[in-house]
Amino acid sequence: MNTASDDASGVWLASTVRGLLEEKYGRGNVPSVRKLTQLIREANGSATISHGHVHNILRGEAPNITDKTREMLACFFAVPPDRLVPPGARPVTGTDRRLEALAFRFSSLQPDELRAIEKAIQMVKEERDGAAG
Protein backbone atom coordinates (compact mmCIF):
# COMPACT_ATOMS: atom_id res chain seq x y z
CA MET A 1 0.00 0.00 0.00
CA ASN A 2 1.29 3.47 -0.87
CA THR A 3 1.39 6.20 1.71
CA ALA A 4 1.16 9.93 1.25
CA SER A 5 4.93 10.15 1.78
CA ASP A 6 5.36 8.12 -1.43
CA ASP A 7 3.45 10.77 -3.37
CA ALA A 8 5.61 12.97 -5.59
CA SER A 9 3.61 16.15 -4.90
CA GLY A 10 4.01 15.67 -1.12
CA VAL A 11 7.75 15.22 -1.52
CA TRP A 12 7.88 18.23 -3.85
CA LEU A 13 6.00 20.38 -1.34
CA ALA A 14 8.24 19.26 1.53
CA SER A 15 11.35 20.04 -0.47
CA THR A 16 9.99 23.43 -1.51
CA VAL A 17 8.99 24.40 2.04
CA ARG A 18 12.32 23.22 3.46
CA GLY A 19 14.12 25.27 0.80
CA LEU A 20 12.07 28.36 1.64
CA LEU A 21 12.80 27.83 5.34
CA GLU A 22 16.54 27.63 4.66
CA GLU A 23 16.32 30.80 2.55
CA LYS A 24 14.49 32.57 5.37
CA TYR A 25 16.53 31.33 8.35
CA GLY A 26 19.74 29.94 6.91
CA ARG A 27 20.85 26.33 6.70
CA GLY A 28 20.92 24.74 10.14
CA ASN A 29 18.97 27.61 11.73
CA VAL A 30 15.40 26.56 10.89
CA PRO A 31 13.15 26.82 13.97
CA SER A 32 11.35 23.82 15.44
CA VAL A 33 7.94 22.82 14.09
CA ARG A 34 6.23 24.29 17.17
CA LYS A 35 8.07 27.58 16.74
CA LEU A 36 7.27 27.60 13.01
CA THR A 37 3.59 27.11 13.81
CA GLN A 38 3.75 30.14 16.11
CA LEU A 39 5.58 32.24 13.50
CA ILE A 40 3.12 31.28 10.76
CA ARG A 41 0.24 32.27 13.05
CA GLU A 42 1.89 35.62 13.80
CA ALA A 43 2.45 36.30 10.09
CA ASN A 44 -1.20 35.53 9.35
CA GLY A 45 -3.03 37.62 11.93
CA SER A 46 -3.66 34.71 14.33
CA ALA A 47 -4.92 32.28 11.64
CA THR A 48 -3.30 28.92 12.34
CA ILE A 49 -1.93 25.82 10.69
CA SER A 50 -1.72 22.98 13.18
CA HIS A 51 1.60 21.73 14.46
CA GLY A 52 0.74 18.28 13.08
CA HIS A 53 -0.02 19.63 9.61
CA VAL A 54 3.24 21.59 9.48
CA HIS A 55 5.05 18.43 10.59
CA ASN A 56 3.31 16.41 7.83
CA ILE A 57 4.14 19.02 5.21
CA LEU A 58 7.81 18.92 6.16
CA ARG A 59 7.86 15.09 6.09
CA GLY A 60 6.27 14.94 2.62
CA GLU A 61 3.08 13.44 4.01
CA ALA A 62 0.79 16.28 2.93
CA PRO A 63 0.50 16.18 -0.86
CA ASN A 64 -2.81 18.07 -0.80
CA ILE A 65 -2.94 21.33 1.08
CA THR A 66 -5.94 23.62 1.04
CA ASP A 67 -5.88 26.99 -0.68
CA LYS A 68 -6.06 28.58 2.78
CA THR A 69 -2.96 26.68 3.95
CA ARG A 70 -1.15 27.55 0.70
CA GLU A 71 -2.04 31.23 1.15
CA MET A 72 -0.94 31.22 4.79
CA LEU A 73 2.40 29.63 3.91
CA ALA A 74 2.83 32.06 1.02
CA CYS A 75 2.18 34.99 3.37
CA PHE A 76 4.67 33.61 5.90
CA PHE A 77 7.36 33.17 3.23
CA ALA A 78 6.38 36.37 1.34
CA VAL A 79 6.03 34.46 -1.94
CA PRO A 80 3.10 34.12 -4.35
CA PRO A 81 0.79 31.17 -3.49
CA ASP A 82 1.52 29.49 -6.85
CA ARG A 83 5.11 29.01 -5.65
CA LEU A 84 3.60 26.26 -3.45
CA VAL A 85 1.91 24.41 -6.34
CA PRO A 86 3.88 21.65 -8.09
CA PRO A 87 4.91 22.68 -11.64
CA GLY A 88 2.86 19.96 -13.33
CA ALA A 89 -0.24 20.91 -11.37
CA ARG A 90 -0.29 24.61 -12.14
CA PRO A 91 -3.81 25.64 -13.13
CA VAL A 92 -4.65 26.58 -16.69
CA THR A 93 -5.98 30.11 -16.94
CA GLY A 94 -9.51 30.71 -18.19
CA THR A 95 -11.06 27.56 -16.70
CA ASP A 96 -13.32 27.18 -13.70
CA ARG A 97 -11.22 27.65 -10.53
CA ARG A 98 -13.34 25.18 -8.53
CA LEU A 99 -12.81 22.49 -11.16
CA GLU A 100 -9.08 23.16 -11.13
CA ALA A 101 -8.96 22.85 -7.35
CA LEU A 102 -10.87 19.59 -7.48
CA ALA A 103 -8.60 18.18 -10.19
CA PHE A 104 -5.52 19.19 -8.18
CA ARG A 105 -6.88 17.38 -5.11
CA PHE A 106 -7.63 14.27 -7.17
CA SER A 107 -4.10 14.28 -8.61
CA SER A 108 -2.67 12.51 -5.56
CA LEU A 109 -5.41 9.91 -5.08
CA GLN A 110 -4.60 6.24 -5.43
CA PRO A 111 -6.23 4.24 -8.28
CA ASP A 112 -8.65 2.47 -5.91
CA GLU A 113 -9.74 5.83 -4.48
CA LEU A 114 -10.36 7.19 -7.98
CA ARG A 115 -12.39 4.07 -8.88
CA ALA A 116 -14.54 4.59 -5.77
CA ILE A 117 -15.22 8.19 -6.80
CA GLU A 118 -16.08 7.08 -10.35
CA LYS A 119 -18.47 4.48 -8.93
CA ALA A 120 -20.16 7.07 -6.72
CA ILE A 121 -20.58 9.43 -9.68
CA GLN A 122 -22.07 6.60 -11.76
CA MET A 123 -24.52 5.77 -8.94
CA VAL A 124 -25.64 9.41 -8.78
CA LYS A 125 -26.10 9.51 -12.58
CA GLU A 126 -28.14 6.31 -12.52
CA GLU A 127 -30.29 7.63 -9.67
CA ARG A 128 -30.80 10.92 -11.50
CA ASP A 129 -31.68 9.14 -14.76
CA GLY A 130 -34.17 6.90 -12.91
CA ALA A 131 -35.84 9.88 -11.25
CA ALA A 132 -36.12 11.77 -14.54
CA GLY A 133 -37.74 8.81 -16.33
Side-chain angles (χ1 to χ4, degrees), residues 74-108:
C75 179
F76 172 68
F77 288 119
V79 298
D82 67 353
R83 177 92 184 265
L84 298 164
V85 176
R90 296 207 190 277
V92 177
T93 58
T95 60
D96 185 353
R97 181 170 165 79
R98 290 174 294 164
L99 183 57
E100 290 172 353
L102 184 61
F104 179 66
R105 294 212 185 275
F106 283 2
S107 69
S108 67

Side-chain angles (χ1 to χ4, degrees), residues 21-79:
L21 286 167
E22 287 183 0
E23 285 177 27
K24 187 173 181 98
Y25 296 104
R27 190 176 188 113
N29 294 318
V30 174
S32 70
V33 172
R34 289 202 185 275
K35 182 66 176 175
L36 284 173
T37 302
Q38 175 191 343
L39 295 168
I40 292 167
R41 182 181 67 241
E42 291 170 1
N44 284 279
S46 297
T48 62
I49 301 173
S50 75
H51 162 261
H53 195 41
V54 172
H55 175 77
N56 289 342
I57 290 169
L58 292 172
R59 287 182 45 107
E61 296 175 352
N64 287 324
I65 59 173
T66 65
D67 289 340
K68 180 181 176 186
T69 298
R70 185 179 344 281
E71 289 167 8
M72 290 174 66
L73 289 172
C75 179
F76 172 68
F77 288 119
V79 298

